[in-house]
Amino acid sequence: QVQLVESGGGLVQAGGSLRLSCAASGRSFSIDNMGWFRQAPGKEREFVASIDWRANTIYYVDSVKGRFTISRDNAKNTVYLQMNSLKPEDTAVYYCALRIPGTGLAYDYWGQGTQVTVSS
């Protein structure tokens, strides 16, 4: 079993920045990929960014390209999401997710979510 603990959410004015962290812990696990998703009120959860743990391949949803940066610390089993130039439409609960090797494309574990609120 793998546990994911997110931190770094909060309230920020438009144009501001936040940095989310997600630390993975558990016994004897490997990481294939970690990602960030978000869910705004009344909307479905959407993909934000992902990073491959070995190849460092990175993907972003178009709406955050140039503003958000995903990174990882392999030694700490931690993924980060640096969010700059935040907009009110970025307001959502942000979830991190982890995929272990050999299980396909779906994510296997999810964090509890952290609220990000951007005021105009």
Side-chain angles (χ1 to χ4, degrees):
Q1 195 73 4
V2 177
Q3 293 80 43
L4 301 177
V5 179
E6 298 128 335
S7 60
L11 172 64
V12 65
Q13 288 188 331
S17 298
L18 285 173
R19 188 191 194 208
L20 305 183
S21 300
C22 174
S25 63
R27 296 183 64 181
S28 301
F29 68 97
S30 297
I31 301 174
D32 178 53
N33 184 288
M34 290 189 75
W36 288 97
F37 292 75
R38 66 186 179 185
Q39 187 167 19
K43 295 186 177 181
E44 294 190 354
R45 185 163 55 189
E46 68 166 348
F47 168 82
V48 176
S50 68
I51 185 167
D52 183 275
W53 222 244
R54 291 165 293 178
N56 207 38
T57 305
I58 289 173
Y59 294 101
Y60 297 101
V61 68
D62 286 346
S63 60
V64 309
K65 286 180 180 177
R67 300 188 299 121
F68 290 11
T69 302
I70 189 170
S71 61
R72 57 175 168 77
D73 184 329
N74 288 38
K76 296 181 179 179
N77 288 334
T78 298
V79 66
Y80 304 95
L81 187 68
Q82 177 67 43
M83 305 185 295
N84 299 328
S85 302
L86 282 161
K87 304 176 181 180
E89 51 264 43
D90 294 317
T91 295
V93 178
Y94 284 70
Y95 299 89
C96 72
L98 181 149
R99 185 171 71 223
I100 59 177
T103 60
L105 295 179
Y107 286 91
D108 300 289
Y109 299 97
W110 293 83
Q112 80 286 354
T114 185
Q115 177 70 46
V116 171
T117 303
V118 185
S119 63
S120 58

